[in-house]
Amino acid sequence: MRITKVTTKTGDAGETGLGTGQRVLKNHPRIMVLGALDHLNSIIGWVISACENKELAEPLKNIQQDIFDIGADMSLPERDADLLKKERLIDLEHQIDSITSVLPPLKEFILPGGSEFISRIHIARTSCRNTEREMISMFNNEGASQLHGKYINRLSDYLFLLARLVKHNEGVEEEHWRLEK
């Protein structure tokens, strides 16, 4: 059992512990990334809760596992846990290619939205982009696995395409950004 107590009272002074036992401030860049990953994972769980299609839900559940793997890797700095495997990035890229092959080409920026489910996917996508920005800030200070950054970058692409796919399958037209002249 890895979690024995939820309330430890060890964080009351603004510090928290990494998986190595090292204590850092709660606004440390690594902790900010862990928080962003937690937020992203929660939003993906919210997306899954509205998903009625098992074929769409299963890859999202696997992505949640991947996000936990990234978080575990990041909570163990200076260790080579490597819980996220390169094969997971490759799988995500294959899913991106598969979705892209059935969608019409994108000719203009599209507005996020459609059904509630599609909107939830777009919110997950923007959370993913926020997570990526937090990761880049941390990478600049500490360095980290390039695989993590690549995975999160591809994940936002996947979520964008997934939202388009759901809209396409529902027969809803994409609304384009109107550039007023």
Side-chain angles (χ1 to χ4, degrees), residues 1 3 10 12 19-20 40 47 50-51 58 66 78 96 104 110 118 142-143 150 156 163 178:
M1 181 180 276
I3 298 175
T10 59
D12 293 350
T20 59
L40 172 60
V47 170
C51 184
E58 201 56 40
D66 295 340
E78 301 169 13
I96 288 168
I110 61 168
I118 295 166
E142 297 186 39
K150 287 178 183 179
S156 62
R178 291 186 312 264

Side-chain angles (χ1 to χ4, degrees), residues 100-108 110 161 164 168 174 176:
T100 301
S101 72
V102 299
L103 291 175
L106 195 58
K107 297 178 182 174
E108 184 57 73
I110 61 168
L161 291 168
R164 288 191 70 213
H168 176 77
E174 293 177 324
H176 295 107

Side-chain angles (χ1 to χ4, degrees), residues 123-178:
I123 291 169
R125 173 187 56 80
T126 61
S127 177
C128 191
R129 288 288 188 207
N130 288 335
T131 301
E132 183 180 21
R133 285 188 287 276
E134 291 288 349
M135 289 177 107
I136 290 168
S137 292
M138 190 199 86
F139 291 174
N140 290 337
N141 293 323
E142 297 186 39
S145 166
Q146 293 301 312
L147 178 60
H148 297 154
K150 287 178 183 179
Y151 184 90
I152 294 297
N153 182 272
R154 296 305 181 288
L155 179 56
S156 62
D157 295 339
Y158 170 79
L159 292 168
F160 175 75
L161 291 168
L162 181 62
R164 288 191 70 213
L165 178 66
V166 171
K167 191 175 267 193
H168 176 77
N169 289 346
E170 290 178 359
V172 178
E173 271 192 55
E174 293 177 324
E175 190 170 341
H176 295 107
W177 173 45
R178 291 186 312 264

Side-chain angles (χ1 to χ4, degrees), residues 7-35:
T7 302
T8 62
K9 301 180 185 175
T10 59
D12 293 350
E15 289 187 344
T16 191
L18 295 173
T20 59
Q22 177 187 357
R23 303 292 297 173
V24 295
L25 291 174
K26 288 186 178 184
N27 65 349
H28 185 279
R30 189 170 293 274
I31 301 305
M32 298 300 288
V33 170
L34 291 171

Side-chain angles (χ1 to χ4, degrees), residues 79-96:
R79 294 216 181 143
D80 294 325
D82 296 328
L83 295 173
L84 180 72
K85 304 298 182 204
K86 186 174 182 177
E87 292 77 25
R88 293 300 303 141
L89 174 65
I90 293 168
D91 180 62
L92 196 57
E93 290 172 340
H94 286 314
Q95 290 180 60
I96 288 168

Side-chain angles (χ1 to χ4, degrees), residues 33-124:
V33 170
L34 291 171
L37 288 166
D38 185 32
H39 187 254
L40 172 60
N41 216 347
S42 296
I43 290 175
I44 291 175
W46 184 53
V47 170
I48 293 168
S49 72
C51 184
E52 297 175 1
N53 181 331
K54 277 190 168 193
E55 286 182 33
L56 297 180
E58 201 56 40
L60 290 169
K61 290 177 184 178
N62 291 332
I63 287 166
Q64 284 190 298
Q65 295 291 330
D66 295 340
I67 292 169
F68 256 96
D69 287 344
I70 293 169
D73 283 342
M74 291 207 169
S75 72
L76 297 166
E78 301 169 13
R79 294 216 181 143
D80 294 325
D82 296 328
L83 295 173
L84 180 72
K85 304 298 182 204
K86 186 174 182 177
E87 292 77 25
R88 293 300 303 141
L89 174 65
I90 293 168
D91 180 62
L92 196 57
E93 290 172 340
H94 286 314
Q95 290 180 60
I96 288 168
D97 292 342
S98 177
I99 293 171
T100 301
S101 72
V102 299
L103 291 175
L106 195 58
K107 297 178 182 174
E108 184 57 73
F109 289 105
I110 61 168
L111 300 179
S115 66
E116 180 179 344
F117 181 57
I118 295 166
S119 296
R120 286 182 187 200
I121 297 169
H122 279 292
I123 291 169

